[in-house]
Short mmCIF file of all heavy atoms in Angstrom, two decimals:
data_model
loop_
_atom_site.label_atom_id
_atom_site.label_comp_id
_atom_site.label_asym_id
_atom_site.label_seq_id
_atom_site.Cartn_x
_atom_site.Cartn_y
_atom_site.Cartn_z
N GLU T 166 -9.38 -3.42 5.84
CA GLU T 166 -9.24 -1.94 5.31
C GLU T 166 -9.22 -1.12 6.65
O GLU T 166 -10.05 -1.24 7.53
CB GLU T 166 -10.46 -1.62 4.51
CG GLU T 166 -10.43 -0.23 3.89
CD GLU T 166 -11.54 -0.11 2.95
OE1 GLU T 166 -11.81 -0.92 2.06
OE2 GLU T 166 -12.15 1.02 3.06
N LEU T 207 -7.60 5.77 -2.86
CA LEU T 207 -7.52 7.25 -3.01
C LEU T 207 -8.91 7.87 -2.88
O LEU T 207 -9.98 7.17 -3.24
CB LEU T 207 -6.88 7.62 -4.23
CG LEU T 207 -5.37 7.21 -4.28
CD1 LEU T 207 -4.90 7.36 -5.75
CD2 LEU T 207 -4.61 8.02 -3.38
N ASP T 320 30.86 0.87 -3.08
CA ASP T 320 30.94 0.20 -4.42
C ASP T 320 29.90 -0.99 -4.48
O ASP T 320 29.86 -1.64 -5.59
CB ASP T 320 32.32 -0.25 -4.83
CG ASP T 320 32.96 -1.19 -3.77
OD1 ASP T 320 32.19 -1.65 -2.89
OD2 ASP T 320 34.15 -1.48 -3.99
N GLU T 329 24.03 9.58 -18.74
CA GLU T 329 25.51 9.62 -18.52
C GLU T 329 26.17 8.40 -19.04
O GLU T 329 27.25 8.41 -19.70
CB GLU T 329 25.86 9.84 -17.08
CG GLU T 329 25.31 11.16 -16.49
CD GLU T 329 25.68 11.20 -15.03
OE1 GLU T 329 26.58 10.61 -14.57
OE2 GLU T 329 24.87 11.83 -14.26
N CYS T 400 -21.87 -20.05 -13.93
CA CYS T 400 -22.08 -18.91 -14.83
C CYS T 400 -21.23 -19.04 -16.18
O CYS T 400 -20.23 -19.87 -16.19
CB CYS T 400 -21.79 -17.60 -14.14
SG CYS T 400 -19.99 -17.43 -13.75
N ASP T 449 6.56 -19.94 -12.72
CA ASP T 449 6.34 -21.00 -13.75
C ASP T 449 5.87 -22.27 -13.12
O ASP T 449 5.01 -23.01 -13.68
CB ASP T 449 7.69 -21.30 -14.51
CG ASP T 449 8.08 -20.14 -15.43
OD1 ASP T 449 7.16 -19.29 -15.80
OD2 ASP T 449 9.23 -20.05 -15.81
N GLY T 467 -10.06 -24.67 -22.29
CA GLY T 467 -11.13 -25.61 -22.26
C GLY T 467 -12.34 -25.11 -21.85
O GLY T 467 -12.55 -23.86 -21.56
#
Side-chain angles (χ1 to χ4, degrees):
E166 183 176 315
L207 295 166
D320 60 7
E329 298 175 28
C400 68
D449 291 341

